[in-house]
Amino acid sequence: MSVVIFAPSPVLTVTVEGHSGSDDGDVHVHAGGQGVWQARMLRRLGVEVTMCCVLTGESGRILLHLLRDEGIDVVAVERPGRGGVYVHDRRDGERRAVIETGGDPLSRHVLDEVYGEVLGAGLDASLVILSGPASQDALPADVYRRLSADMKTAGRRVVVDLAGDRLDAAVAGGAHLVKVSDEELVADGRIEESTTEEIIAAMRSIHDAGVAVVVVTRADKPLLMLADGVLSEVSTPTMEVADHRGAGDSLTAGIAASLSAGGTARDAVVLGAAAGALNVTRHGLGTGDAETIAKFRQLVSIRDVAGPTAASSLSPVELARRVEPS
């Protein structure tokens, strides 16, 4: 099993952590960004990963070494300029941004180059993940429609964890699975409030547009999945949170790992939920070991709220009543 990740603009991350008994801090330098965190978790789950990306300037050269040190196969288009970087100070326990930049937008020529690399690598993979860029203006949203459509034509399933125009584009292109949060649905104007009724209606809309599997996370509430007309609720154990960031990317990676190995949507969301639950207990984003994640799977519960007939005939209000505890 192998997965290709389109990660247009990875980020060089520098985090200063507190050092016990000293005013000095420990400096941690890592590769970061959505696609990187997904790739990291996939590697922890034993999946071969090829990351197609654009690496820019000095930060890009450092990123290339960091990614390869993690065992990620990198297919990179290199260019001059300013790459994505953030420096965070966590010495007082809270994350404070010193500097954050998404880097320079991708030029048409660079986009053509990395697009071709994704197509070529995707044909040799079981599944393709399309991840978001470090900045909003990095690349046109239509790239996600084109990639989704071309991968679908080539018989490859596409998994996306996107929002806004990029999500709309990937859905229009024929993505197989969409993962999105309720907060993103509100920000995108797909729902007005994060009520179960509105979320289910939005999931139906995405599902009816041709997406086979729709997964919506709801912060500390059980996530919802609509797969082939069946609505399910997935509950995970409540863990002490060290860092909530990266949990969604770990969820997406777990889902992709299972699907790439031939698992069902139910198998995939359970593994993804276990990976996400473990990740919040760690400071490292997209981290955790496969053995512990396998044990966490036993703590994840999934129940069908409505089958395909009921899901298509009941109103979102009626479905929501089945989801919410009495």
Side-chain angles (χ1 to χ4, degrees), residues 36-42 44 70 245-247 249-250 279 282-288:
V36 173
W37 297 324
Q38 291 165 348
R40 183 173 293 142
M41 178 55 73
L42 281 162
R44 296 297 179 96
E70 293 193 46
R245 299 183 325 138
D249 297 318
S250 294
N279 190 239
R282 306 170 62 89
H283 290 295
L285 306 185
T287 63

Side-chain angles (χ1 to χ4, degrees), residues 54-249:
V54 177
L55 299 179
T56 306
E58 294 180 359
S59 62
R61 289 192 288 275
I62 298 171
L63 280 168
L64 183 60
H65 290 288
L66 293 173
L67 291 167
R68 287 178 173 168
D69 284 348
E70 293 193 46
I72 299 170
D73 181 21
V74 182
V75 177
V77 176
E78 299 183 55
R79 63 165 183 166
R82 297 181 308 121
V85 177
Y86 76 61
V87 179
H88 288 175
D89 190 339
R90 283 179 50 114
R91 281 176 292 182
D92 61 359
E94 298 294 326
R95 187 178 292 274
R96 182 174 61 85
V98 178
I99 185 173
E100 292 181 344
T101 175
D104 297 330
L106 308 187
S107 68
R108 180 184 62 80
H109 174 72
V110 168
L111 272 175
D112 284 347
E113 291 295 317
V114 72
Y115 194 98
E117 298 291 1
V118 176
L119 291 182
L123 294 177
D124 294 327
S126 307
L127 180 145
V128 177
I129 298 176
L130 304 183
S131 70
S135 64
Q136 292 298 316
D137 60 350
L139 73 167
D142 192 58
V143 171
Y144 291 91
R145 180 194 62 79
R146 293 170 52 215
L147 279 172
S148 295
D150 287 343
M151 287 291 97
K152 183 176 182 180
T153 298
R156 300 297 182 269
R157 289 179 294 180
V158 171
V159 170
V160 300
D161 181 357
L162 302 168
D165 292 343
R166 292 188 285 273
L167 173 58
D168 293 339
V171 170
H176 175 77
L177 183 146
V178 162
K179 177 262 172 184
V180 65
S181 72
D182 60 338
E183 293 178 346
E184 290 168 332
L185 291 175
V186 172
D188 291 351
R190 290 181 178 268
I191 61 176
E192 292 185 2
E193 297 181 4
S194 294
T195 63
T196 305
E197 296 92 334
E198 289 196 45
I199 291 171
I200 291 172
M203 294 174 73
R204 271 186 173 178
S205 177
I206 296 171
H207 188 60
D208 290 346
V211 177
V213 184
V214 183
V215 176
V216 176
T217 58
R218 303 185 293 167
D220 57 346
K221 295 181 180 179
L223 66 84
L224 298 174
M225 179 178 73
L226 184 59
D228 298 320
V230 179
L231 181 67
S232 305
E233 181 187 63
V234 182
S235 300
T236 58
T238 301
M239 311 302 295
E240 291 294 321
V241 177
D243 194 336
H244 71 277
R245 299 183 325 138
D249 297 318

